Amino acid sequence: MNRSVIITGGSRGIGAATAILAARKGYEVCVNFLSNEKAALKVVDHIIRNGGKAIALQADVSSESEVANMFRTVDSSMSPLWGLVNNAGILETQMRFEDMKTDRWERILKSNVMSCFHCSKEAIRRLSAKHGGAGGSIVNVGSIASLSGSPGEYVDYAAAKGAVDSLTRGLSRELACEGIRVNAVRPAFIYTDIHASGGEPGRVDRIKDLIPMKRGGQPEEVAEAIVWLLSDEASYCTGTFIDLAGGR
Ligand code: NAP
């Protein structure tokens, strides 16, 4: 379809499922990763074996200069950019608020919020009608944590995801007349590696009886919502949130 999408953190979890589904729908996919090149190449291999187009690009999306380089590489090696999925995100070990160190807050805000700023800025310069672009779609991956606040676990992460909600709403209105839609998904309790970084790999199974659907979610279920928001089928949809949390 001659449209490229950049999926940050496309090597694993929700990002990998989104990359595979987006490629199946016909997009050329840039699978961004931080350090797990093997996982990123596995996603790219899967896409290519199934007739799609993809490249893997290493870049720390919390770094403005690395993000700028990644977008330049996409410009020179892929079809024109159409979409950006701000998916990369991290959390750190569960702990009480007063025990958190300042450098932890800085890491959390850089990886979960500044990443969206750096990547969205580059995308807007290419997609906005104001800059001669043909329009496009940005999907942010927030979290239900923005609503719950994640007390006793990771209030820092929840606060970062709260910023992603505000950024989504504000940017959607700023860009609404420039051909760019901005939406977000807010997942929770999805079976991925992220819970191990929080110090509790089995977190979803511990919590699942408290979820109205009584089960955790799969990355592919989140990918469906992301790829719909990216697509022309969502053409009148901007500034909205799709919550994927089994009814929580
Ligand atoms: P995951 O399995 O831990 O995967 C994280 C991905 O992000 C990996 O591809 C990783 O790359 C990449 N990444 C991390 N920091 C990066 C950076 N600075 N630059 C570039 N890439 C970076 O996580 P996930 O569960 O799929 O989470 C994806 C998104 O969903 C996150 O924004 C997360 O907050 C959100 N979310 C997840 C859940 C859940 O239950 N899983 C719930 C709510 C929200 P490497 O492979 O190279 O390390």
Side-chain angles (χ1 to χ4, degrees):
M1 71 165 80
N2 284 342
R3 282 179 172 180
S4 294
V5 295
I6 295 175
I7 299 170
T8 70
S11 46
R12 291 184 289 122
I14 293 167
T18 304
I20 288 168
L21 181 61
R24 213 191 311 144
K25 300 280 183 187
Y27 296 99
E28 282 179 42
V29 180
C30 166
V31 177
N32 158 255
F33 65 100
L34 177 63
S35 54
N36 197 334
E37 185 173 25
K38 200 171 159 196
L41 290 176
K42 203 170 147 197
V43 173
V44 168
D45 264 13
H46 177 94
I47 291 173
I48 292 172
R49 269 190 287 108
N50 284 279
K53 288 187 182 166
I55 60 169
L57 283 185
Q58 194 281 331
D60 178 350
V61 290
S62 70
S63 155
E64 187 168 21
S65 59
E66 293 190 27
V67 166
N69 281 338
M70 173 172 73
F71 274 77
R72 275 196 291 270
T73 306
V74 168
D75 290 341
S76 61
S77 55
M78 301 183 80
S79 284
L81 187 70
W82 160 262
L84 166 67
V85 181
N86 282 314
N87 165 78
I90 59 162
L91 49 76
E92 299 208 8
T93 322
Q94 296 165 358
M95 75 175 54
R96 280 180 57 84
F97 188 86
E98 69 270 29
D99 295 330
M100 292 176 183
K101 299 271 193 298
T102 302
D103 60 345
R104 167 182 165 135
W105 266 81
E106 285 168 354
R107 282 193 300 276
I108 287 290
L109 292 172
K110 275 181 77 176
S111 293
N112 293 297
V113 186
M114 294 309 291
S115 56
C116 295
F117 167 62
H118 299 318
C119 292
S120 301
K121 193 168 63 168
E122 292 292 339
I124 292 163
R125 287 177 177 155
R126 288 160 175 81
L127 304 179
S128 168
K130 205 169 182 140
H131 300 291
S137 178
I138 297 175
V139 182
N140 297 324
V141 180
S143 171
I144 286 289
S146 70
L147 307 176
S148 73
S150 303
E153 292 190 317
Y154 16 73
V155 172
D156 52 348
Y157 170 81
K161 292 300 189 180
V164 171
D165 285 5
S166 303
L167 185 153
T168 301
R169 181 145 290 135
L171 198 53
S172 71
R173 292 176 177 164
E174 188 165 320
L175 299 174
C177 285
E178 298 174 26
I180 306 178
R181 295 180 296 101
V182 186
N183 293 287
V185 295
R186 287 189 298 213
F189 324 118
I190 309 301
Y191 287 102
T192 71
D193 300 339
I194 204 168
H195 307 288
S197 4
E200 192 186 1
R203 181 171 182 268
V204 178
D205 284 330
R206 171 174 64 83
I207 287 173
K208 72 178 179 197
D209 286 341
L210 304 172
I211 301 169
M213 283 190 182
K214 305 282 182 222
R215 68 171 181 87
Q218 296 299 331
E220 290 75 16
E221 296 180 283
V222 183
E224 288 287 349
I226 295 174
V227 173
W228 180 74
L229 287 169
L230 269 181
S231 76
D232 288 334
E233 276 74 46
S235 53
Y236 198 48
C237 186
T238 197
T240 63
F241 300 85
I242 299 181
D243 293 345
L244 300 124
R248 258 296 265 274

